[in-house]
Amino acid sequence: QAQLVESGGGLVQVGDSLKLSCAASGGTFNRYIMGWFRQAPGKEREFVAATMWSSLDLYSDSVKGRFTISADNAKNTVYLEMNSLKPEDTAVYYCGAGTRFTMNGADYSYWGQGTQVTVSS
């Protein structure tokens, strides 16, 4: 059974860095688009970044230049390196796998349980 497990979240200060990991198992995930989404309290889930296993990347405007998505095919793991963190980056971050290279969460079929990122000012 396909499974995505996120890790690496935590409580950091404004301007700090954090690196999230998403370990994929139970499927041939190198055929999927891997994406990161986030959901802040009281808000809808929003797109953060996506990768075709490092051959092509896509970012939301709010994180472009600060966040970097990468993938390790050998480890079936996707990463999200987050720099210059801001309070508005506070959210639960979710890893998703889909078959279309889009920012639309509805195009992602598999989801992890999420990892909390809190940026304190």
Side-chain angles (χ1 to χ4, degrees), residues 35-96:
W36 285 97
F37 289 74
R38 65 187 182 187
Q39 187 167 18
K43 295 187 177 182
E44 293 186 354
R45 188 177 298 188
E46 66 170 353
F47 172 80
V48 175
T51 183
M52 293 177 68
W53 289 91
S54 295
S55 65
L56 194 63
D57 301 332
L58 184 64
Y59 296 94
S60 70
D61 289 342
S62 62
V63 306
K64 196 174 296 181
R66 299 189 298 124
F67 290 12
T68 302
I69 189 170
S70 62
D72 186 329
N73 286 296
K75 295 182 178 180
N76 253 8
T77 300
V78 178
Y79 304 96
L80 184 69
E81 186 165 2
M82 306 183 293
N83 298 314
S84 302
L85 283 163
K86 306 174 181 180
E88 51 264 42
D89 294 319
T90 295
V92 178
Y93 283 70
Y94 296 92
C95 175

Side-chain angles (χ1 to χ4, degrees), residues 99-121:
T99 55
R100 298 183 66 187
F101 193 53
T102 75
M103 298 183 180
N104 188 348
D107 292 321
Y108 291 76
S109 304
Y110 301 100
W111 293 95
Q113 81 290 348
T115 184
Q116 176 71 47
V117 173
T118 303
V119 184
S120 173
S121 57

